[in-house]
Amino acid sequence: MRHAAAQAGAFCRRNAVMVVALAAAIGSSMAVPPDAQYWSYFDFKTLTCLFCVLAVVCALRHIRFFYLLAQQVVTRFKTARRSVLALVVITFVGSMLIANDMALLTFLPLGYLTLSAAHKEKYMAFTFIMQNIAANLGGMLTPFGNPQNLYLYTKFRIPNGEFLRIMAPPFALAIALIVLCCVIFVRPEPLAFAGEPVRLPPARTALYLALFALAIAIVFRGIPYWIGLIVIPAVLLAADRHALREVDYPLLLTFVFFFVFAGNMGRVAAVQQFFAALLAHGTLAVSALCCQFISNVPSAILLSQFTANYPSLLVGVNIGGTGTLIASLASLITFREYVRRSPGQAGRYLAQFSAFNFGFLAVLLGFMTALGMR
């Protein structure tokens, strides 16, 4: 009994955002009892796209595809500054392709391995923080880079060209800020990386890349989402059923619970009036601020019920992923990984994390406001 309770407690701590979302869904259902309209809350395409991308990424991780990709880049650099910058850029680009949380789970271990093998642990906290910021801000350029992007892209049916135009300015500034920080805070000290050689299985690599292309085509509306929901699980059941088991189902459930919460809140007159009045003062700032308290994914789902200003909402919930530790689920993943590898350093890490993240938030928010976005 005690063992089961301990396991349940550990699960809740690992998935704190999901637990909060569940509590919010249950609480809101008391104000709006379940009825037939609940089915309209769920965006099944978003859930399907997210599931397909996560499943294929797990399969690619099993054959160490991303490890080899990162290793090939990192081994071409010979200094601490260049290697840290490479790790951060890999995470930045990876988040555009495989979503921010999966990019961190893939490349944070590589950052740890690189720095610890070269005895450069003094750069560990900085590297993890920059990888975290890179994952949150790199993913904002693509509809599938961040979960909230996928939701807003689908809900408002944002054209691909317009999506890129909206996100290009903060994306470009984010790149410049990240590179500047790496140049300033990491010295060009000699660094050698001795990673183990990796060989990819040709057939599985080709198969998984084909599935990944299918998942991306679904996201960009090139293929009906129900095809991916049939094909991808069926293929992985035969090729790598462990990938299906390792999908981040708590993340999917977080979406489900917040769909219920946001849908219910949208039917409460007092809530409608409150958020309508609040968003009238500026969707960009309100959405970024909201992320600091309830994270970017639930902020996107909730606020989308009360505004049609999706450009400002989209930018706000992306740059709002910087700031507090709970502003993004990806930040919690990074914190968990760092503390697990560097026990006793949580306080020091949080201090650096807060300084860099709030700095990025202030600069990006000021920049977009100067461009006339509200």
Side-chain angles (χ1 to χ4, degrees), residues 123-294:
Y123 294 123
M124 194 74 71
F126 173 82
T127 302
F128 270 48
I129 292 167
M130 284 297 110
Q131 284 183 286
N132 179 82
I133 292 175
N136 280 327
L137 298 180
M140 67 179 162
L141 187 64
T142 61
F144 48 85
N146 289 330
Q148 68 272 15
N149 285 7
L150 190 56
Y151 167 73
L152 294 174
Y153 173 81
T154 303
K155 177 178 176 60
F156 291 106
R157 300 192 62 82
I158 306 173
N160 294 328
E162 183 181 2
F163 189 100
L164 292 175
R165 286 195 299 273
I166 292 170
M167 302 311 299
F171 179 81
L173 179 58
I175 293 176
L177 291 174
I178 289 171
V179 171
L180 181 62
C181 286
C182 289
V183 170
I184 292 175
F185 293 100
V186 182
R187 297 177 180 177
E189 303 169 6
L191 183 68
F193 176 73
E196 59 184 89
V198 176
R199 292 180 62 85
L200 298 178
R204 284 182 180 269
T205 302
L207 175 63
Y208 296 159
L209 288 177
L211 292 179
F212 186 73
L214 173 61
I216 299 307
I218 294 169
V219 171
F220 280 108
R221 308 182 185 123
I223 297 175
Y225 72 88
W226 57 266
I227 293 179
L229 191 58
I230 295 173
V231 173
I232 290 176
V235 173
L236 291 180
L237 274 173
D240 185 1
R241 62 183 58 192
H242 292 291
L244 294 174
R245 295 175 188 163
E246 294 178 9
V247 168
D248 192 351
Y249 291 106
L251 177 61
L252 294 172
L253 287 173
T254 299
F255 267 80
V256 170
F257 297 146
F258 272 117
F259 280 143
V260 173
F261 171 69
N264 285 338
M265 289 297 95
R267 295 170 64 183
V268 177
V271 173
Q272 291 177 348
Q273 295 171 1
F274 172 77
F275 277 108
L278 194 63
L279 290 166
H281 295 288
T283 303
L284 176 67
V286 171
S287 56
L289 180 63
C290 189
C291 293
Q292 308 309 308
F293 299 97
I294 64 171

Side-chain angles (χ1 to χ4, degrees), residues 328-345:
S328 169
L329 178 62
S331 299
L332 293 174
I333 291 173
T334 306
F335 179 70
R336 181 186 65 191
E337 292 296 307
Y338 181 81
V339 171
R340 184 166 66 87
R341 291 176 168 82
S342 305
Q345 298 295 315

